[in-house]
Amino acid sequence: MPNKRSQFESAVTPYLDAAYNLARWLTGHDEDAEDVVQEALLRAFKFFDGFRGGDSRAWLLTIVRHTAYTWLRQNRAALILSLDEELRADPLIDDAEDRLMASLDQQALHQAIAALPIAFREVIILHDLEGLAYKEIATIANIPIGTVMSRLARARKHLYHALAQTQSIDRPRREQSEKTS
């Protein structure tokens, strides 16, 4: 019979990237996310005897979410996010100018997500980036499924408007530079 440690590792190891991703978006910093995930793993291990099977991803992400919110309350009066990730060049884009434009678009998306209220940001991350179903998100966030769907719709609307503003601001400059070349 496997011991507690090996059972725990097999239950959570496949979801460590998802745990870090959620913590990163909630805290806004790599180092803070690492701290949150480490604390969440300690909590999860401590209470692993209470885990009765089922969806270990949802169970772990619930603990990460609670740990992140606790960490934020303890360490920050206001959530300040910075985009310190290096944008990777898309190998399918050959032209340097196209790469720059794709990079700016990706940066605009990251900034728009980071600017969302945290309740909207977490449903976007859990659904669109982590691929969780509404029911799983409802379990993790301890909210009704209807609230998940509403927050997701509102988050997408905010993102659409933020990105549309960015595009309308950037587009005339791009078109003008194309006319002068």
Side-chain angles (χ1 to χ4, degrees), residues 43 65-78:
R43 289 180 185 184
R65 178 184 180 270
H66 288 294
T67 305
Y69 278 106
T70 300
W71 185 92
L72 288 168
R73 277 193 302 276
Q74 293 172 349
N75 293 287
R76 297 217 175 119

Side-chain angles (χ1 to χ4, degrees), residues 133-155:
Y134 297 144
K135 185 177 180 179
E136 293 171 306
I137 298 168
T139 300
I140 291 167
N142 196 26
I143 56 176
I145 291 177
T147 303
V148 171
M149 294 177 357
S150 171
R151 285 184 185 174
L152 189 58
R154 291 171 64 196

Side-chain angles (χ1 to χ4, degrees), residues 51-70:
F51 178 61
R52 301 287 176 230
D55 188 356
S56 58
R57 177 174 66 166
W59 176 76
L60 177 62
L61 293 178
T62 300
I63 295 169
V64 170
R65 178 184 180 270
H66 288 294
T67 305
Y69 278 106
T70 300

Side-chain angles (χ1 to χ4, degrees), residues 117-129:
I118 200 161
F120 292 170
R121 190 176 337 128
E122 77 179 354
V123 295
I124 282 283
I125 299 307
L126 291 172
H127 187 271
D128 293 346
L129 297 182

Side-chain angles (χ1 to χ4, degrees), residues 9-124:
E9 287 175 357
S10 66
V12 302
T13 300
Y15 308 114
L16 291 177
D17 288 341
Y20 174 80
N21 192 35
L22 177 60
R24 172 65 177 87
W25 278 103
L26 293 177
T27 64
H29 299 283
D30 293 330
E31 296 82 15
D32 298 341
E34 290 169 2
D35 292 344
V36 165
V37 171
Q38 183 176 10
E39 178 65 26
L41 290 172
L42 289 171
R43 289 180 185 184
F45 187 73
K46 180 178 178 180
F47 297 105
F48 189 64
D49 293 333
F51 178 61
R52 301 287 176 230
D55 188 356
S56 58
R57 177 174 66 166
W59 176 76
L60 177 62
L61 293 178
T62 300
I63 295 169
V64 170
R65 178 184 180 270
H66 288 294
T67 305
Y69 278 106
T70 300
W71 185 92
L72 288 168
R73 277 193 302 276
Q74 293 172 349
N75 293 287
R76 297 217 175 119
L79 183 62
I80 300 171
L81 295 173
S82 67
L83 290 175
D84 56 0
E85 294 177 8
E86 290 296 320
L87 296 172
R88 296 183 195 112
D90 187 339
L92 299 176
I93 301 174
D94 294 328
D95 184 278
E97 185 176 343
D98 288 343
R99 257 195 313 274
L100 175 63
M101 297 313 296
S103 168
L104 292 175
D105 290 343
Q106 187 175 8
Q107 185 177 23
L109 176 61
H110 281 214
Q111 288 173 334
I113 291 171
L116 287 172
I118 200 161
F120 292 170
R121 190 176 337 128
E122 77 179 354
V123 295
I124 282 283

